[in-house]
Amino acid sequence: MPDNLFIPSVDLRIGSLEEYNRRQKEKAASRHAKAKARPCITISREYGCTGYPTAELLRDILMQKTGEEWVMIDRAIIEEVAKRHNLSQEILRTLGENNRLLSEVLATFSSRWKSNYDYFLPLSQHVVALAEQGNVLILDLGGAIVARHLEHSYHFRIFGSERYKVTTLARRLNIEEEEAEKLMHRQQKVRDRFTKDFLNQDGHDPALYDMLFNNDRCSSDRIAHTIADFVLAKAG
């Protein structure tokens, strides 16, 4: 059972990304002095926790409080961007040919990454380019690791009990709890393997994050408001 049933529409979010890029270009054209770096927020979550609802709520809160455009990035968006040449090139213009940050990011990857060079290099380039622009929420994608070199980046992780994750998956995907449990364990293994094999990190390491949230005790609304308050206070 795919979990993209409860992922927000890629087309809608691509539209948001295109609008975001348009506004970035307008601001760059009218800017005379170097602007203050804007925040990049990464959200990591255990499979079955409410990552998408939290990120969507957080984006709405930040747009309301800052009056600026914010965009949410995940693997589906990055893969779609790679297919749309014009949008891809617009994003990558923020990266120089010898971008130091990208080099540092790639240096963190393990030797196994090299066997998937053609796939992970463009993915990493787009994530880094968007992270550098700021006003971006990166969901998963090893965001806390990929964007950790940015001074204006903030990193959060959502975890939960097995009971909570199984119940949440069963309800959201309309499947039996036994199937939800199998799905949860299978997908979590895939995520953990990716982080370990390609990013040389343990995604469960609390030292990677500014804050950890227990989904059993914290709703998406509470988590989103807490992150917004924390980031805006730090960035202000």
PDB file of all heavy atoms in Angstrom, residues 46-59:
ATOM      1  N   GLU A  46       9.723   9.652  11.851  1.00  0.00           N
ATOM      2  CA  GLU A  46       9.610   8.210  11.755  1.00  0.00           C
ATOM      3  C   GLU A  46       8.401   7.898  10.881  1.00  0.00           C
ATOM      4  O   GLU A  46       7.405   8.644  10.885  1.00  0.00           O
ATOM      5  CB  GLU A  46       9.452   7.590  13.140  1.00  0.00           C
ATOM      6  CG  GLU A  46      10.701   7.707  14.005  1.00  0.00           C
ATOM      7  CD  GLU A  46      10.532   7.039  15.360  1.00  0.00           C
ATOM      8  OE1 GLU A  46       9.367   6.744  15.748  1.00  0.00           O
ATOM      9  OE2 GLU A  46      11.547   6.826  16.047  1.00  0.00           O
ATOM     10  N   TYR A  47       8.488   6.806  10.134  1.00  0.00           N
ATOM     11  CA  TYR A  47       7.395   6.468   9.238  1.00  0.00           C
ATOM     12  C   TYR A  47       6.120   6.185  10.039  1.00  0.00           C
ATOM     13  O   TYR A  47       6.122   5.386  10.971  1.00  0.00           O
ATOM     14  CB  TYR A  47       7.744   5.237   8.397  1.00  0.00           C
ATOM     15  CG  TYR A  47       6.763   5.020   7.277  1.00  0.00           C
ATOM     16  CD1 TYR A  47       6.903   5.703   6.080  1.00  0.00           C
ATOM     17  CD2 TYR A  47       5.676   4.175   7.432  1.00  0.00           C
ATOM     18  CE1 TYR A  47       5.994   5.536   5.048  1.00  0.00           C
ATOM     19  CE2 TYR A  47       4.763   3.995   6.408  1.00  0.00           C
ATOM     20  CZ  TYR A  47       4.924   4.676   5.221  1.00  0.00           C
ATOM     21  OH  TYR A  47       4.006   4.519   4.214  1.00  0.00           O
ATOM     22  N   GLY A  48       5.053   6.890   9.668  1.00  0.00           N
ATOM     23  CA  GLY A  48       3.789   6.773  10.377  1.00  0.00           C
ATOM     24  C   GLY A  48       3.460   8.005  11.195  1.00  0.00           C
ATOM     25  O   GLY A  48       2.316   8.190  11.611  1.00  0.00           O
ATOM     26  N   CYS A  49       4.462   8.860  11.411  1.00  0.00           N
ATOM     27  CA  CYS A  49       4.208  10.119  12.121  1.00  0.00           C
ATOM     28  C   CYS A  49       3.670  11.159  11.135  1.00  0.00           C
ATOM     29  O   CYS A  49       3.789  11.011   9.928  1.00  0.00           O
ATOM     30  CB  CYS A  49       5.484  10.613  12.791  1.00  0.00           C
ATOM     31  SG  CYS A  49       6.008   9.600  14.192  1.00  0.00           S
ATOM     32  N   THR A  50       3.115  12.222  11.685  1.00  0.00           N
ATOM     33  CA  THR A  50       2.350  13.171  10.858  1.00  0.00           C
ATOM     34  C   THR A  50       3.243  14.256  10.249  1.00  0.00           C
ATOM     35  O   THR A  50       3.097  15.438  10.547  1.00  0.00           O
ATOM     36  CB  THR A  50       1.219  13.817  11.684  1.00  0.00           C
ATOM     37  OG1 THR A  50       1.803  14.458  12.840  1.00  0.00           O
ATOM     38  CG2 THR A  50       0.221  12.773  12.142  1.00  0.00           C
ATOM     39  N   GLY A  51       4.145  13.849   9.361  1.00  0.00           N
ATOM     40  CA  GLY A  51       5.064  14.802   8.754  1.00  0.00           C
ATOM     41  C   GLY A  51       4.406  15.766   7.797  1.00  0.00           C
ATOM     42  O   GLY A  51       4.597  16.984   7.888  1.00  0.00           O
ATOM     43  N   TYR A  52       3.605  15.249   6.871  1.00  0.00           N
ATOM     44  CA  TYR A  52       2.970  16.123   5.872  1.00  0.00           C
ATOM     45  C   TYR A  52       1.970  17.098   6.487  1.00  0.00           C
ATOM     46  O   TYR A  52       2.015  18.300   6.189  1.00  0.00           O
ATOM     47  CB  TYR A  52       2.311  15.289   4.773  1.00  0.00           C
ATOM     48  CG  TYR A  52       3.299  14.774   3.767  1.00  0.00           C
ATOM     49  CD1 TYR A  52       3.781  13.476   3.837  1.00  0.00           C
ATOM     50  CD2 TYR A  52       3.788  15.602   2.753  1.00  0.00           C
ATOM     51  CE1 TYR A  52       4.710  13.001   2.921  1.00  0.00           C
ATOM     52  CE2 TYR A  52       4.719  15.139   1.839  1.00  0.00           C
ATOM     53  CZ  TYR A  52       5.175  13.836   1.929  1.00  0.00           C
ATOM     54  OH  TYR A  52       6.107  13.376   1.026  1.00  0.00           O
ATOM     55  N   PRO A  53       1.055  16.643   7.335  1.00  0.00           N
ATOM     56  CA  PRO A  53       0.132  17.608   7.953  1.00  0.00           C
ATOM     57  C   PRO A  53       0.872  18.689   8.737  1.00  0.00           C
ATOM     58  O   PRO A  53       0.497  19.865   8.699  1.00  0.00           O
ATOM     59  CB  PRO A  53      -0.725  16.732   8.878  1.00  0.00           C
ATOM     60  CG  PRO A  53      -0.659  15.373   8.286  1.00  0.00           C
ATOM     61  CD  PRO A  53       0.726  15.248   7.717  1.00  0.00           C
ATOM     62  N   THR A  54       1.935  18.292   9.441  1.00  0.00           N
ATOM     63  CA  THR A  54       2.710  19.260  10.216  1.00  0.00           C
ATOM     64  C   THR A  54       3.382  20.278   9.302  1.00  0.00           C
ATOM     65  O   THR A  54       3.331  21.489   9.553  1.00  0.00           O
ATOM     66  CB  THR A  54       3.785  18.547  11.055  1.00  0.00           C
ATOM     67  OG1 THR A  54       3.152  17.637  11.964  1.00  0.00           O
ATOM     68  CG2 THR A  54       4.616  19.539  11.847  1.00  0.00           C
ATOM     69  N   ALA A  55       4.005  19.805   8.224  1.00  0.00           N
ATOM     70  CA  ALA A  55       4.697  20.708   7.301  1.00  0.00           C
ATOM     71  C   ALA A  55       3.723  21.662   6.613  1.00  0.00           C
ATOM     72  O   ALA A  55       4.024  22.850   6.432  1.00  0.00           O
ATOM     73  CB  ALA A  55       5.473  19.899   6.265  1.00  0.00           C
ATOM     74  N   GLU A  56       2.549  21.167   6.226  1.00  0.00           N
ATOM     75  CA  GLU A  56       1.550  22.020   5.589  1.00  0.00           C
ATOM     76  C   GLU A  56       1.051  23.098   6.547  1.00  0.00           C
ATOM     77  O   GLU A  56       0.922  24.270   6.171  1.00  0.00           O
ATOM     78  CB  GLU A  56       0.381  21.158   5.104  1.00  0.00           C
ATOM     79  CG  GLU A  56       0.703  20.271   3.915  1.00  0.00           C
ATOM     80  CD  GLU A  56       0.747  21.063   2.626  1.00  0.00           C
ATOM     81  OE1 GLU A  56      -0.308  21.434   2.100  1.00  0.00           O
ATOM     82  OE2 GLU A  56       1.872  21.320   2.144  1.00  0.00           O
ATOM     83  N   LEU A  57       0.780  22.708   7.797  1.00  0.00           N
ATOM     84  CA  LEU A  57       0.346  23.679   8.801  1.00  0.00           C
ATOM     85  C   LEU A  57       1.444  24.706   9.072  1.00  0.00           C
ATOM     86  O   LEU A  57       1.176  25.913   9.169  1.00  0.00           O
ATOM     87  CB  LEU A  57      -0.018  22.963  10.104  1.00  0.00           C
ATOM     88  CG  LEU A  57      -1.376  22.263  10.154  1.00  0.00           C
ATOM     89  CD1 LEU A  57      -1.455  21.352  11.378  1.00  0.00           C
ATOM     90  CD2 LEU A  57      -2.500  23.294  10.202  1.00  0.00           C
ATOM     91  N   LEU A  58       2.675  24.210   9.184  1.00  0.00           N
ATOM     92  CA  LEU A  58       3.801  25.109   9.451  1.00  0.00           C
ATOM     93  C   LEU A  58       3.971  26.119   8.326  1.00  0.00           C
ATOM     94  O   LEU A  58       4.204  27.312   8.578  1.00  0.00           O
ATOM     95  CB  LEU A  58       5.075  24.281   9.625  1.00  0.00           C
ATOM     96  CG  LEU A  58       6.374  25.054   9.842  1.00  0.00           C
ATOM     97  CD1 LEU A  58       6.279  25.976  11.053  1.00  0.00           C
ATOM     98  CD2 LEU A  58       7.548  24.088   9.991  1.00  0.00           C
ATOM     99  N   ARG A  59       3.852  25.670   7.107  1.00  0.00           N
ATOM    100  CA  ARG A  59       3.969  26.582   5.964  1.00  0.00           C
ATOM    101  C   ARG A  59       2.900  27.672   6.037  1.00  0.00           C
ATOM    102  O   ARG A  59       3.203  28.856   5.840  1.00  0.00           O
ATOM    103  CB  ARG A  59       3.843  25.812   4.654  1.00  0.00           C
ATOM    104  CG  ARG A  59       3.866  26.686   3.414  1.00  0.00           C
ATOM    105  CD  ARG A  59       3.849  25.856   2.138  1.00  0.00           C
ATOM    106  NE  ARG A  59       3.771  26.703   0.968  1.00  0.00           N
ATOM    107  CZ  ARG A  59       2.635  27.068   0.361  1.00  0.00           C
ATOM    108  NH1 ARG A  59       1.476  26.608   0.819  1.00  0.00           N
ATOM    109  NH2 ARG A  59       2.650  27.854  -0.692  1.00  0.00           N
TER     110      ARG A  59
END
